[in-house]
Amino acid sequence: MAPEVEVQLIAVIVAAACALPGVFLVLRRMAMLSDAISHTVLLGIVLGYLLTRDLGSPLLFVGAVAMGVVTVALVELVTGTGLVREDAAIGLVFPVLFSIAVILISRFAGNVHLDVDSVLLGELVFAPFDRVRLLGLDLPRALLVGLVTLLANLLLIGLFYKELKLATFDAGLAAALGFAPALVHYGLMTMVSITAVGAFDAVGSILVIALMVAPPAAAYLLTDRLARMLLLSVLIGAASAIAGYWLAYWLDVSVAGAMATMSGVAFGLCYLFAPGRGLVAGAARRAHQRWEFAQQMLTLHLLNHEGTAEAIEECSPSRLSAHLRWPPAFAAEVVRRAEQGGLVQRRGELLTLTERGRRLAQEASLR
Amino acid sequence: MELLTALFADYTLRTVALGAALLGVVSGVLGCFAVLRRQALLGDAMSHAALPGIALAFMLTGQRDPLVLLLGAAAAAWLAALLVLGITGTSRIKEDSALALTLSVCFGFGLVLLSLLQKRPDAAQAGLKRFLFGQAAALVERDIVVMAALGLPALLCVALLWKHFKLLSFDPEYAASLGMPTGALSILLTTLIVMAIAIGLQSVGVVLMSAMLVAPAAAARQWTNRLSIMVLLAASFGALAGVSGALISATTRGFSTGPTVVLCMAAITLGSLLCAPERGLLWRWIRGRRQLAPVD
């Protein structure tokens, strides 16, 4: 495979792997834990390296995953004392662990290939050069790691779909039915941690956050069903990854940064144009409701004065604006719409209700 | 002792210490309001979002004047805060997702801009990278002047609007019922927090700046129930951590300023959580023991 294709493939797989646990983070309102975890896994990697002095050792991976879970436990420990609130606890814990990691790197590991820039940015472009052989296939290591993470996430979510779903949407019921909430919580956090570590090498810690939160948040605006949200998140994540790659290619800029930007763009598009929940749909709905309501008012007004002596005075189109306190242009437009919709008809200088208009007015007055 | 004499004699050390102290005081004071209003993590999102602001300010003006860069940073951070509030206010996205989203996307965009700058032939981007983790040793007098120009008005503002901010932090509904313009006040308070972040960018960096808002306030909270004392304590804690961290970093190899300051601050916070009278964990433990002990 050509290196460019491999890079895109890695990006897509990493994006998909991140989006899956991200869905549960977003739904469980724990998105900021991804920020904490993706920073602190660095400390696990550094400690693992200082113990083994070998960047290829599996202990680094284990240490990083463990550190992610330790971060969550520490946040809960600090929150549990009741001395600070949870958001402040997150803000206290992860900068400290990250600081220790940065200092350890520059003190003791500055000469090895482990610098802070690549931690934040990742080195996706160089991923194809780091290769492993497996089953006679020559694969980039990042691709293999990404695939394993993705499959593990798929397997875990597939096996515990029911438990995760229940614990996410109704924690109380889940506990009452005997699904240990703590077990689900820490299981999920381990999954997030493994994913962050797996993706970390290729795309850097900041992109891990973007890929874990932006696609699920975008998908959350598109659907109410968990299964659909999972699928949409994976698709949006993959699309942002590819779009980001090409943006970076054309502008010759940081690939990880461009992917994070594109995932933000994807969210922005959903935020604006999502059917039903987007800003545009909301504005259109409000505008529609405004006309509907005004037409209802008009029919009620006509019903009120129907057949009375002052009907000529009250129900002429030219006087409506004064009686209903509408600006003349608005009143004219309401009458036009109501006529078009068959709610009222004009008889000379008099507006009268049609059968449909009368029914609408009666229904509205009963409500 | 040697360090103390050096502090007064050495120009660089004095500048560094002054800058770090200024940062500590301003972020300590404003952090109290951020923590009390449950906006601890908004600071994190805002400080990450400052990165594209710095890069854009440099791209548009071509200047490396600290005032220009920090104003760019402040503008971007302020927009990010509005973005978070806008997203949570107009859609069903919750605050945590909006924060993580804004933080990572803005930071990613900042990295894109930085890598664009890197291609410039004059290699003028050198010096922008230090905003990631801060480099107190590179502070010069001009930086301090800019920091003071941003920080002192912010402190003055807090002093003048003390009652308003206090009520806004503890009981916003009551403040609104008294006819206070709560919307405008919270925007002003957010703006002041943005100023504190801008001040810290050069010495602590965008990645760790949020800790300088949260930690002094969390530490100070343990010692007192009064806002005035809490603010004063937070300011002193912040200044202490800033100065000691900056000095260690400026004199020792391999200690970047941001992480060192954060670790100093963490030590103070840990001490406060453990030892503060009444609330501290040690006190609580002793009290528990005493209750268990048999009565003579």
Side-chain angles (χ1 to χ4, degrees):
Chain A
M1 268 188 289
E4 304 90 67
V5 181
E6 278 179 353
V7 168
Q8 288 181 67
L9 199 59
I10 294 170
V12 165
I13 286 172
V14 167
C18 286
L20 290 174
V23 166
F24 293 98
L25 285 179
V26 166
L27 288 175
R28 294 166 68 99
R29 309 188 181 188
M30 295 172 176
M32 280 309 272
L33 282 179
S34 70
D35 180 30
I37 290 179
S38 69
H39 279 93
T40 54
V41 290
L42 178 65
L43 181 58
I45 293 178
V46 176
L47 290 178
Y49 171 76
L50 290 179
L51 278 178
T52 60
R53 292 274 157 192
D54 171 20
L55 271 180
S57 159
L59 202 63
L60 266 66
F61 188 84
V62 176
V65 172
M67 194 51 76
V69 179
V70 165
T71 308
V72 177
L74 272 178
V75 168
E76 269 165 29
L77 185 74
V78 174
T79 317
T81 62
L83 296 178
V84 291
R85 278 195 289 261
E86 196 199 357
D87 60 333
I90 296 178
L92 282 176
V93 168
F94 89 83
V96 175
L97 299 181
F98 190 65
S99 299
I100 297 176
V102 172
I103 288 179
L104 283 179
I105 289 180
S106 49
R107 282 297 277 183
F108 302 112
N111 49 349
V112 293
H113 171 72
L114 192 73
D115 68 312
V116 178
D117 269 7
S118 65
V119 165
L120 287 173
L121 305 175
E123 286 173 338
L124 192 51
V125 211
F126 301 123
F129 300 114
D130 183 8
R131 308 192 79 88
V132 287
R133 293 200 67 82
L134 188 83
L135 306 172
L137 282 172
D138 182 32
L139 295 169
R141 205 161 71 95
L143 184 63
L144 193 69
V145 173
L147 263 180
V148 171
T149 330
L150 177 60
L151 290 178
N153 284 348
L154 276 176
L155 190 73
L156 281 172
I157 292 180
L159 279 179
F160 299 108
Y161 186 72
K162 190 172 68 223
E163 285 81 355
L164 277 169
K165 190 173 177 179
L166 193 58
T168 301
F169 291 106
D170 194 341
L173 179 61
L177 289 177
F179 303 142
L183 199 65
V184 175
H185 177 58
Y186 275 95
L188 184 65
M189 287 306 141
T190 315
M191 190 158 97
V192 170
S193 199
I194 291 177
T195 313
V197 179
F200 185 79
D201 231 14
V203 299
S205 65
I206 297 297
L207 184 53
V208 169
I209 310 170
L211 289 179
M212 276 195 183
V213 179
Y220 189 46
L221 294 174
L222 295 176
T223 177
D224 279 332
R225 301 192 64 87
L226 179 59
R228 234 173 262 168
M229 185 172 163
L230 284 165
L231 182 68
L232 280 174
S233 304
V234 169
L235 291 179
I236 294 172
S240 330
I242 292 186
Y245 175 82
W246 287 102
L247 181 73
Y249 181 82
W250 282 323
L251 297 178
D252 187 19
V253 292
S254 149
V255 180
M259 285 181 186
T261 310
M262 288 319 287
S263 70
V265 170
F267 173 79
L269 288 177
C270 290
Y271 175 64
L272 290 177
F273 302 115
R277 284 200 195 80
L279 276 196
V280 174
R285 192 171 52 239
R286 272 191 299 280
H288 180 72
Q289 279 167 344
R290 184 162 156 253
W291 291 118
E292 289 281 288
F293 182 70
Q295 291 179 36
Q296 224 171 52
M297 277 292 290
L298 176 65
T299 56
L300 273 172
H301 179 77
L302 294 182
L303 184 72
N304 242 351
H305 298 292
E306 200 171 37
T308 61
E310 68 272 15
I312 294 286
E313 167 70 13
E314 291 278 352
C315 304
S316 84
S318 51
R319 306 298 304 272
L320 269 180
S321 135
H323 286 297
L324 287 169
R325 300 181 185 226
W326 285 340
F330 181 76
E333 175 65 17
V334 174
V335 171
R336 194 187 65 76
R337 283 176 185 245
E339 269 184 301
Q340 215 170 38
L343 296 172
V344 298
Q345 53 200 10
R346 213 184 276 254
R347 291 211 184 118
E349 258 306 280
L350 191 67
L351 272 181
T352 54
L353 287 170
T354 62
E355 210 32 59
R356 247 183 94 199
R358 191 167 298 115
R359 223 178 311 126
L360 177 74
Q362 278 157 354
E363 272 167 25
S365 63
L366 286 180
R367 220 177 278 156
Chain B
M1 200 58 222
E2 212 172 295
L3 199 65
L4 273 185
T5 30
L7 187 57
F8 292 107
D10 188 301
Y11 167 80
T12 318
L13 274 188
R14 209 168 49 212
T15 318
V16 168
L18 201 60
L22 201 59
L23 153 73
V25 169
V26 177
S27 63
V29 169
L30 288 161
C32 287
F33 294 101
V35 168
L36 287 174
R37 302 185 68 213
R38 310 192 176 204
Q39 293 185 332
L41 292 175
L42 189 62
D44 194 27
M46 288 196 289
S47 53
H48 278 78
L51 188 66
I54 297 170
L56 266 183
F58 180 71
M59 282 169 100
L60 292 179
T61 63
Q63 291 179 30
R64 215 178 308 168
D65 185 85
L67 186 62
V68 174
L69 296 185
L70 292 192
L71 283 182
W78 196 74
L79 280 179
L82 285 193
L83 201 61
V84 171
L85 297 178
I87 289 178
T88 45
T90 58
S91 74
R92 62 168 175 171
I93 301 292
K94 308 294 182 302
E95 195 190 10
D96 62 305
S97 304
L99 284 171
L101 188 79
T102 312
L103 175 156
S104 56
V105 171
C106 287
F107 195 77
F109 185 56
L111 293 176
V112 168
L113 293 180
L114 275 190
S115 57
L116 263 183
L117 283 176
Q118 226 146 27
K119 288 188 310 185
R120 286 200 175 184
D122 51 352
Q125 96 292 348
L128 290 192
K129 270 259 164 83
R130 73 185 167 118
F131 284 104
L132 284 182
F133 288 106
Q135 205 175 10
L139 288 179
V140 293
E141 211 175 299
R142 170 90 182 125
D143 296 315
I144 306 293
V145 172
V146 169
M147 287 164 79
L150 288 173
L152 297 181
L155 289 182
L156 190 69
C157 216
V158 171
L160 287 179
L161 293 172
W162 174 258
K163 280 217 171 99
H164 296 74
F165 285 161
K166 188 174 179 177
L167 199 52
L168 186 69
S169 307
F170 287 106
D171 199 343
E173 282 88 10
Y174 182 53
S177 78
L178 287 182
M180 283 187 190
T182 43
L185 281 173
S186 7
I187 291 180
L188 179 63
L189 196 49
T190 308
T191 312
L192 296 182
I193 295 175
V194 164
M195 306 272 237
I197 290 174
I199 291 173
L201 291 183
Q202 284 168 303
S203 32
V204 178
V206 297
V207 181
L208 292 166
M209 185 52 214
S210 65
M212 283 309 287
L213 284 173
V214 180
R221 171 69 187 91
Q222 311 311 323
W223 299 87
T224 173
N225 283 329
R226 297 189 61 84
L227 182 64
S228 49
I229 301 177
M230 175 178 166
V231 164
L232 290 179
L233 270 177
S236 354
F237 286 159
L240 183 64
V243 172
S244 44
L247 289 183
I248 295 174
S249 149
T251 49
T252 323
R253 190 194 63 84
F255 278 75
S256 311
T257 317
T260 317
V261 172
V262 168
L263 286 185
C264 291
M265 195 55 241
I268 297 177
T269 312
L270 187 65
S272 302
L273 289 177
L274 288 178
C275 310
E278 299 293 329
R279 281 171 70 98
L281 295 176
L282 275 181
W283 286 88
R284 206 187 278 177
W285 183 71
I286 292 172
R287 207 159 44 221
R289 289 287 299 241
R290 221 179 266 157
Q291 278 162 356
L292 283 179
V295 185
D296 294 325

